[in-house]
Amino acid sequence: MSNLEQTLSIIKPDAVERHLENEIKEMFKNNGFSIVKEKKIQIEKSEAEKFYKVHETKPFYSDLCEYLSSGPIVVMALEKENAVLGNRELMGATNPKDANEGTIRKKYGISIDKNSVHGSDSVENAKIEINFFFKD
Ligand code: UDP
Ligand code: MG
C-alpha cells in the first residue's frame, strides 16, 4: 500500500559553510526524495530554542541552539514513500562516528554536534516541524 510522507530536513550550518548544499541535495534526489519545499535562512537563537524545545533539559541544549542559529541553513520538506524513516536511514546515526557507510553523516559529519543534517524522527513531528518553517 502506498504511504507517501513528508519529512523535514535541515542542512545545518557546518555543511552550508563547507558548500555541501548541492551534494547533499543530490543524495536526497538520488535516493528518491522530492524536495517539495525549500528555503535558505538564518534563524535567531530564540527560534532554534523553540524548534529544539524537546531537548530543553539536555546539557547540550544551549550550545545546540547557538549552533543552529550561527549561520545559514537550508530547510526542506522531503517527500517519498515512508520518507521519515527513509531520511533517518539516509542521514545515519546522530554521531557521525557511529554512522553507516553511505550515509550523509558518515560522509560529511564532523562531530556529534556538527553532524550536517537534521531529520524529523516521527510522522507527527515531521508535520509539526514542516509547519514550523513553512506555515502559509
Ligand atoms: N546533539 C549534541 N550532543 C549530544 C546529542 C545531540 O550536540 O550529545 C545535537 C546533535 O547535533 C543532534 C541534535 O543535538 O543532531 C539533536 O539531537 P537528537 O538526539 O534529536 O539527534 P538527531 O535526531 O539529530 O539524530
Ligand atoms: Mg532528533
Side-chain angles (χ1 to χ4, degrees):
M1 216 178 79
S2 158
N3 185 39
L4 198 62
E5 291 175 356
Q6 290 189 0
T7 189
L8 186 86
S9 172
I10 304 178
I11 304 177
K12 293 181 175 182
D14 67 274
V16 175
E17 186 179 88
R18 287 177 289 147
H19 307 290
L20 296 170
E21 178 181 337
N22 288 334
E23 282 178 57
I24 291 173
K25 281 188 209 163
E26 281 307 305
M27 283 184 79
F28 289 128
K29 291 179 202 162
N30 291 339
N31 282 275
F33 292 92
S34 304
I35 301 171
V36 295
K37 292 176 182 161
E38 176 182 354
K39 61 182 176 183
K40 190 177 205 169
I41 53 174
Q42 182 163 0
I43 61 173
E44 300 289 335
K45 188 176 183 190
S46 59
E47 293 174 274
E49 286 167 349
K50 273 184 226 156
F51 179 73
Y52 273 132
K53 192 158 175 47
V54 58
H55 292 303
E56 70 183 332
T57 61
K58 309 270 174 65
F60 57 83
Y61 178 63
S62 180
D63 286 347
L64 173 63
C65 297
E66 192 74 54
Y67 164 64
L68 193 70
S69 58
S70 67
I73 58 176
V74 179
V75 291
M76 295 167 287
L78 303 180
E79 189 173 273
K80 187 186 167 176
E81 294 286 309
N82 305 308
V84 173
L85 187 60
N87 181 42
R88 295 294 306 191
E89 286 174 359
L90 180 58
M91 285 165 56
T94 306
N95 190 339
K97 285 195 194 114
D98 302 328
N100 291 333
E101 284 302 330
T103 63
I104 296 173
R105 284 168 164 172
K106 175 72 176 186
K107 202 164 177 199
Y108 300 117
I110 297 169
S111 58
I112 192 164
D113 48 323
K114 295 187 173 176
N115 59 7
S116 300
V117 280
H118 167 85
S120 308
D121 63 4
S122 67
V123 172
E124 188 189 357
N125 283 336
K127 286 180 185 150
I128 293 168
E129 290 180 357
I130 290 168
N131 191 52
F132 182 90
F133 284 109
F134 299 101
K135 39 181 104 65
D136 33 43

